[in-house]
Amino acid sequence: MKIAVARYEIGAPADFAAFARRQRRELAEAAAAGARIAVLPEYLSLELAATFAPDIQRDLPASLAAIQRYRQPWLELFAGLARELDMHVVAGSFLLDTGGGRYRNRCDWLTPQGAPLWQDKLQLTGFEKATGLIDGGDALKVFEIDGIRAGVAVCYDSEFPLPVRAQYEAGARLLVVPSCTDTDAGATRVRVGCLARALENRMFVAQSVTAGLAGWSPALDVNTGQAAVYAPMDRGFPDDGVLARTADGQRWAVAELDFAAFEAGRAQAQVANDRDWPDQWQPALQRAMLSPAGSDPAP
Protein backbone atom coordinates (compact mmCIF):
# COMPACT_ATOMS: atom_id res chain seq x y z
CA MET A 1 0.00 0.00 0.00
CA LYS A 2 1.35 3.41 -0.95
CA ILE A 3 0.72 6.53 1.08
CA ALA A 4 1.31 10.15 0.06
CA VAL A 5 1.69 12.96 2.60
CA ALA A 6 1.45 16.60 1.54
CA ARG A 7 3.70 19.55 2.08
CA TYR A 8 0.91 21.98 1.31
CA GLU A 9 1.72 25.58 0.44
CA ILE A 10 -1.02 27.73 1.92
CA GLY A 11 -2.76 29.80 -0.74
CA ALA A 12 -5.56 32.35 -0.87
CA PRO A 13 -8.38 30.91 -2.99
CA ALA A 14 -10.79 33.45 -4.44
CA ASP A 15 -13.79 31.19 -3.83
CA PHE A 16 -14.71 27.60 -3.01
CA ALA A 17 -14.56 26.60 -6.67
CA ALA A 18 -10.91 27.69 -6.82
CA PHE A 19 -10.18 25.75 -3.63
CA ALA A 20 -11.88 22.67 -5.11
CA ARG A 21 -9.89 22.90 -8.34
CA ARG A 22 -6.65 22.92 -6.40
CA GLN A 23 -7.67 19.92 -4.27
CA ARG A 24 -8.54 17.97 -7.42
CA ARG A 25 -5.20 18.86 -8.99
CA GLU A 26 -3.14 18.04 -5.90
CA LEU A 27 -4.91 14.77 -5.13
CA ALA A 28 -4.75 13.66 -8.76
CA GLU A 29 -0.97 14.04 -8.52
CA ALA A 30 -0.90 11.77 -5.44
CA ALA A 31 -3.12 9.24 -7.19
CA ALA A 32 -0.86 9.28 -10.26
CA ALA A 33 2.05 8.38 -7.95
CA GLY A 34 0.12 5.27 -6.93
CA ALA A 35 -1.07 6.42 -3.53
CA ARG A 36 -3.91 4.49 -1.95
CA ILE A 37 -4.00 7.02 0.92
CA ALA A 38 -3.36 10.77 0.58
CA VAL A 39 -2.96 12.94 3.69
CA LEU A 40 -3.58 16.71 3.68
CA PRO A 41 -2.54 18.98 6.58
CA GLU A 42 -4.13 20.29 9.74
CA TYR A 43 -6.07 23.59 9.50
CA LEU A 44 -6.60 23.17 5.75
CA SER A 45 -10.12 24.55 6.15
CA LEU A 46 -8.75 27.89 7.35
CA GLU A 47 -7.43 28.52 3.84
CA LEU A 48 -11.10 29.05 2.95
CA ALA A 49 -11.17 32.16 5.14
CA ALA A 50 -9.34 33.87 2.26
CA THR A 51 -12.63 33.82 0.32
CA PHE A 52 -14.10 36.44 2.67
CA ALA A 53 -13.46 40.14 3.17
CA PRO A 54 -10.14 41.19 4.76
CA ASP A 55 -11.76 42.14 8.07
CA ILE A 56 -13.09 38.57 8.41
CA GLN A 57 -9.78 37.04 7.31
CA ARG A 58 -7.92 38.90 10.06
CA ASP A 59 -10.44 38.01 12.79
CA LEU A 60 -10.20 34.39 13.93
CA PRO A 61 -13.66 34.14 15.56
CA ALA A 62 -15.24 35.74 12.49
CA SER A 63 -13.35 33.50 10.08
CA LEU A 64 -14.25 30.33 12.00
CA ALA A 65 -17.90 31.31 11.91
CA ALA A 66 -17.73 32.21 8.22
CA ILE A 67 -16.19 28.95 6.98
CA GLN A 68 -19.05 26.90 8.44
CA ARG A 69 -21.06 27.58 5.27
CA TYR A 70 -18.49 25.42 3.47
CA ARG A 71 -18.84 22.39 5.73
CA GLN A 72 -21.20 20.42 3.50
CA PRO A 73 -19.44 21.39 0.25
CA TRP A 74 -16.14 20.37 1.93
CA LEU A 75 -17.44 16.88 2.72
CA GLU A 76 -19.00 16.51 -0.73
CA LEU A 77 -15.79 17.65 -2.43
CA PHE A 78 -13.49 15.22 -0.66
CA ALA A 79 -15.96 12.34 -0.73
CA GLY A 80 -16.33 12.85 -4.48
CA LEU A 81 -12.58 12.99 -5.04
CA ALA A 82 -12.05 9.86 -2.92
CA ARG A 83 -14.57 7.98 -5.09
CA GLU A 84 -13.28 9.40 -8.36
CA LEU A 85 -9.60 8.71 -7.59
CA ASP A 86 -10.35 5.43 -5.80
CA MET A 87 -8.29 6.27 -2.75
CA HIS A 88 -8.59 7.25 0.88
CA VAL A 89 -8.44 11.02 1.36
CA VAL A 90 -7.47 12.35 4.78
CA ALA A 91 -8.73 15.90 4.34
CA GLY A 92 -6.55 17.64 6.90
CA SER A 93 -8.78 19.26 9.48
CA PHE A 94 -11.89 21.43 9.59
CA LEU A 95 -12.64 23.71 12.55
CA LEU A 96 -16.18 22.52 13.14
CA ASP A 97 -18.86 24.53 14.96
CA THR A 98 -20.26 22.41 17.80
CA GLY A 99 -22.64 25.09 19.09
CA GLY A 100 -22.40 28.01 21.46
CA GLY A 101 -19.50 29.54 19.58
CA ARG A 102 -17.29 26.50 20.28
CA TYR A 103 -15.29 24.52 17.73
CA ARG A 104 -13.50 21.20 17.42
CA ASN A 105 -10.50 20.58 15.22
CA ARG A 106 -11.86 17.63 13.22
CA CYS A 107 -9.87 15.47 10.82
CA ASP A 108 -12.11 14.02 8.10
CA TRP A 109 -11.15 10.72 6.46
CA LEU A 110 -13.10 9.87 3.29
CA THR A 111 -12.94 6.29 2.00
CA PRO A 112 -12.86 5.28 -1.70
CA GLN A 113 -16.59 4.63 -1.34
CA GLY A 114 -17.02 8.23 -0.13
CA ALA A 115 -17.89 7.17 3.42
CA PRO A 116 -16.95 9.72 6.09
CA LEU A 117 -14.80 8.86 9.13
CA TRP A 118 -13.41 11.38 11.58
CA GLN A 119 -11.12 11.97 14.54
CA ASP A 120 -11.12 15.15 16.63
CA LYS A 121 -7.89 16.61 17.95
CA LEU A 122 -7.62 15.66 21.63
CA GLN A 123 -4.87 17.84 23.07
CA LEU A 124 -4.93 21.61 22.54
CA THR A 125 -1.83 23.72 21.97
CA GLY A 126 -1.22 26.95 23.84
CA PHE A 127 -2.47 28.89 20.81
CA GLU A 128 -5.69 26.87 20.63
CA LYS A 129 -6.35 27.30 24.35
CA ALA A 130 -5.68 31.04 24.14
CA THR A 131 -8.35 31.49 21.47
CA GLY A 132 -11.02 30.54 23.99
CA LEU A 133 -12.94 29.02 21.07
CA ILE A 134 -11.65 25.46 20.58
CA ASP A 135 -12.38 22.33 22.60
CA GLY A 136 -10.48 19.07 22.62
CA GLY A 137 -12.15 15.89 21.44
CA ASP A 138 -13.46 13.17 23.73
CA ALA A 139 -13.24 10.03 21.59
CA LEU A 140 -10.26 8.02 20.36
CA LYS A 141 -10.79 5.99 17.19
CA VAL A 142 -9.25 3.34 14.96
CA PHE A 143 -10.41 2.71 11.38
CA GLU A 144 -10.44 -0.49 9.31
CA ILE A 145 -8.71 0.43 6.04
CA ASP A 146 -8.17 -2.11 3.24
CA GLY A 147 -7.44 -4.92 5.66
CA ILE A 148 -5.30 -2.93 8.10
CA ARG A 149 -6.17 -0.64 10.99
CA ALA A 150 -5.21 3.01 11.12
CA GLY A 151 -5.54 5.88 13.55
CA VAL A 152 -5.21 9.66 13.42
CA ALA A 153 -3.22 11.91 15.77
CA VAL A 154 -3.74 15.55 14.83
CA CYS A 155 -0.45 17.44 15.18
CA TYR A 156 0.11 17.95 18.96
CA ASP A 157 -1.61 14.62 19.68
CA SER A 158 1.41 12.86 18.15
CA GLU A 159 3.49 14.07 21.11
CA PHE A 160 1.45 12.04 23.63
CA PRO A 161 2.32 8.33 23.82
CA LEU A 162 -0.62 6.85 25.73
CA PRO A 163 -3.52 7.60 23.34
CA VAL A 164 -1.41 6.40 20.39
CA ARG A 165 -0.55 3.29 22.38
CA ALA A 166 -4.27 2.69 22.88
CA GLN A 167 -4.74 2.95 19.11
CA TYR A 168 -1.90 0.46 18.60
CA GLU A 169 -3.45 -1.95 21.09
CA ALA A 170 -6.73 -1.63 19.17
CA GLY A 171 -4.85 -2.90 16.12
CA ALA A 172 -3.56 0.27 14.44
CA ARG A 173 -0.34 -0.22 12.48
CA LEU A 174 -0.57 3.12 10.67
CA LEU A 175 -0.84 6.53 12.32
CA VAL A 176 -1.56 9.57 10.15
CA VAL A 177 -0.59 12.98 11.52
CA PRO A 178 -2.01 16.07 9.80
CA SER A 179 0.04 18.95 11.22
CA CYS A 180 0.56 22.71 11.14
CA THR A 181 3.54 24.35 12.89
CA ASP A 182 4.78 27.93 12.76
CA THR A 183 8.32 27.57 14.18
CA ASP A 184 11.26 25.28 13.59
CA ALA A 185 10.97 24.17 17.21
CA GLY A 186 7.32 23.22 16.67
CA ALA A 187 8.17 21.30 13.52
CA THR A 188 10.91 19.45 15.41
CA ARG A 189 8.57 18.56 18.26
CA VAL A 190 6.04 16.96 15.92
CA ARG A 191 8.76 15.19 13.92
CA VAL A 192 10.32 13.77 17.09
CA GLY A 193 6.87 12.75 18.35
CA CYS A 194 6.20 10.90 15.10
CA LEU A 195 9.54 9.09 15.27
CA ALA A 196 8.94 8.14 18.90
CA ARG A 197 5.47 6.76 18.19
CA ALA A 198 6.89 4.70 15.29
CA LEU A 199 9.61 3.28 17.54
CA GLU A 200 7.44 2.55 20.59
CA ASN A 201 4.66 0.84 18.72
CA ARG A 202 6.38 -0.70 15.69
CA MET A 203 4.07 1.15 13.33
CA PHE A 204 4.19 3.48 10.34
CA VAL A 205 3.60 7.18 11.01
CA ALA A 206 2.72 9.52 8.12
CA GLN A 207 2.91 13.30 8.70
CA SER A 208 1.58 16.03 6.41
CA VAL A 209 2.45 19.70 6.93
CA THR A 210 1.46 23.22 5.93
CA ALA A 211 4.11 25.40 4.27
CA GLY A 212 4.71 29.01 3.31
CA LEU A 213 3.39 32.36 4.52
CA ALA A 214 -0.19 33.54 4.83
CA GLY A 215 0.01 36.97 6.40
CA TRP A 216 -3.73 37.48 5.99
CA SER A 217 -4.52 34.74 8.56
CA PRO A 218 -3.94 34.88 12.33
CA ALA A 219 -3.73 31.06 12.42
CA LEU A 220 -1.90 30.24 9.16
CA ASP A 221 0.55 33.12 9.17
CA VAL A 222 3.83 31.13 9.19
CA ASN A 223 4.23 27.45 8.28
CA THR A 224 7.27 25.20 8.63
CA GLY A 225 8.43 21.61 8.31
CA GLN A 226 8.63 18.78 5.83
CA ALA A 227 6.10 16.04 5.15
CA ALA A 228 7.45 12.58 5.91
CA VAL A 229 6.64 8.91 6.42
CA TYR A 230 8.35 7.20 9.34
CA ALA A 231 9.05 3.59 10.32
CA PRO A 232 10.68 1.88 13.32
CA MET A 233 14.46 2.35 13.44
CA ASP A 234 15.33 -1.33 13.24
CA ARG A 235 16.37 -4.11 10.89
CA GLY A 236 14.42 -4.08 7.67
CA PHE A 237 13.72 -0.34 7.90
CA PRO A 238 15.85 2.81 7.39
CA ASP A 239 18.35 3.50 10.17
CA ASP A 240 16.96 7.01 10.64
CA GLY A 241 13.34 5.81 10.47
CA VAL A 242 12.58 7.96 7.40
CA LEU A 243 10.88 6.13 4.53
CA ALA A 244 10.19 9.31 2.56
CA ARG A 245 10.47 13.07 3.08
CA THR A 246 9.74 16.10 0.93
CA ALA A 247 12.62 18.25 -0.26
CA ASP A 248 13.35 20.93 -2.87
CA GLY A 249 9.78 22.12 -3.15
CA GLN A 250 8.19 18.69 -3.49
CA ARG A 251 4.46 18.65 -2.79
CA TRP A 252 4.19 14.98 -1.81
CA ALA A 253 6.32 12.42 -0.01
CA VAL A 254 5.29 8.95 -1.16
CA ALA A 255 6.19 5.66 0.51
CA GLU A 256 5.32 2.00 0.14
CA LEU A 257 4.03 0.55 3.41
CA ASP A 258 4.87 -3.13 3.90
CA PHE A 259 2.80 -4.13 6.91
CA ALA A 260 3.90 -7.77 6.63
CA ALA A 261 7.46 -6.63 7.33
CA PHE A 262 6.51 -5.90 10.94
CA GLU A 263 5.86 -9.55 11.68
CA ALA A 264 8.43 -10.94 9.25
CA GLY A 265 11.23 -8.96 10.89
CA ARG A 266 10.16 -9.39 14.49
CA ALA A 267 12.49 -12.33 15.20
CA GLN A 268 15.50 -10.36 13.87
CA ALA A 269 14.60 -7.06 15.54
CA GLN A 270 17.30 -5.46 17.66
CA VAL A 271 14.73 -4.07 20.09
CA ALA A 272 11.09 -4.83 20.81
CA ASN A 273 9.62 -1.68 22.33
CA ASP A 274 6.11 -2.72 21.33
CA ARG A 275 6.35 -6.06 23.16
CA ASP A 276 8.39 -4.70 26.08
CA TRP A 277 5.97 -1.84 26.73
CA PRO A 278 4.19 -3.62 29.65
CA ASP A 279 7.49 -3.92 31.54
CA GLN A 280 7.14 -0.22 32.42
CA TRP A 281 4.18 -1.02 34.62
CA GLN A 282 6.08 -3.07 37.21
CA PRO A 283 5.01 -1.78 40.64
CA ALA A 284 8.59 -0.89 41.53
CA LEU A 285 8.77 1.40 38.50
CA GLN A 286 5.59 3.36 39.14
CA ARG A 287 7.15 5.77 41.61
CA ALA A 288 10.72 7.08 41.74
CA MET A 289 12.35 7.36 45.16
CA LEU A 290 14.87 9.98 46.19
CA SER A 291 18.05 8.12 46.99
CA PRO A 292 20.40 10.11 49.29
CA ALA A 293 24.10 9.88 48.55
CA GLY A 294 25.69 6.92 50.30
CA SER A 295 22.41 5.17 51.00
CA ASP A 296 22.86 2.46 48.38
CA PRO A 297 25.36 -0.35 48.93
CA ALA A 298 28.44 -0.27 46.75
CA PRO A 299 28.30 -2.61 43.75
Side-chain angles (χ1 to χ4, degrees):
M1 176 189 294
K2 280 188 178 180
I3 190 167
V5 288
R7 181 181 182 273
Y8 186 95
E9 288 273 352
I10 295 298
D15 51 31
F16 189 85
F19 176 83
R21 286 193 297 272
R22 180 178 177 187
Q23 305 316 308
R24 178 180 297 277
R25 184 171 64 250
E26 301 274 9
L27 290 170
E29 182 178 321
R36 179 61 173 170
I37 304 173
V39 186
L40 294 165
E42 182 187 29
Y43 284 169
L44 178 61
S45 63
L46 291 181
E47 190 181 64
L48 288 166
T51 66
F52 300 103
D55 60 328
I56 294 178
Q57 296 175 15
R58 293 189 296 266
D59 185 295
L60 184 60
S63 62
L64 292 181
I67 67 171
Q68 300 310 306
R69 72 188 66 181
Y70 294 133
R71 177 58 180 167
Q72 194 57 38
W74 166 281
L75 290 174
E76 291 171 358
L77 168 66
F78 288 112
L81 289 172
R83 285 191 297 265
E84 177 184 328
L85 298 170
D86 190 31
M87 69 180 186
H88 295 272
V89 175
V90 183
S93 73
F94 192 102
L95 275 294
L96 181 64
D97 187 349
T98 57
R102 309 295 297 181
Y103 300 85
R104 286 197 180 183
N105 193 356
R106 176 160 296 182
C107 175
D108 294 302
W109 183 315
L110 290 309
T111 74
Q113 295 75 40
L117 305 167
W118 56 267
Q119 172 68 60
D120 288 338
K121 188 173 186 176
L122 305 174
Q123 298 285 345
L124 301 184
T125 64
F127 167 78
E128 289 167 328
K129 291 176 181 177
T131 68
L133 300 167
I134 303 171
D135 295 318
D138 56 9
L140 182 65
K141 301 183 176 188
V142 165
F143 310 132
E144 194 81 37
I145 301 298
D146 291 2
I148 62 100
R149 291 187 181 180
V152 175
V154 180
C155 199
Y156 191 35
D157 287 345
S158 68
E159 299 175 34
F160 291 85
L162 296 185
V164 175
R165 182 66 187 188
Q167 290 169 310
Y168 168 84
E169 291 178 350
R173 295 299 178 267
L174 168 64
L175 184 73
V176 301
V177 181
S179 72
C180 174
T181 56
D182 63 354
T183 65
D184 289 339
T188 299
R189 286 192 296 267
V190 179
R191 176 175 58 83
V192 170
C194 289
L195 282 164
R197 305 296 81 82
L199 170 65
E200 292 163 352
N201 299 300
R202 201 168 177 82
M203 70 192 324
F204 295 118
V205 181
Q207 180 197 2
S208 61
V209 301
T210 52
L213 302 176
W216 52 268
S217 170
L220 292 175
D221 48 354
V222 180
N223 300 274
T224 62
Q226 297 292 336
V229 182
Y230 302 103
M233 295 121 269
D234 209 332
R235 290 194 178 105
F237 300 104
D239 291 341
D240 62 0
V242 179
L243 288 174
R245 178 183 289 153
T246 54
D248 300 325
Q250 289 176 310
R251 287 190 292 269
W252 295 98
V254 182
E256 182 75 43
L257 305 182
D258 182 2
F259 294 97
F262 289 142
E263 295 305 322
R266 189 179 292 279
Q268 289 78 41
Q270 293 175 308
V271 294
N273 302 66
D274 55 330
R275 287 180 293 172
D276 293 337
W277 181 272
D279 293 348
Q280 301 174 85
W281 307 131
Q282 298 175 49
L285 304 183
Q286 295 307 293
R287 186 181 297 273
M289 298 179 296
L290 177 63
S291 182
S295 63
D296 294 326

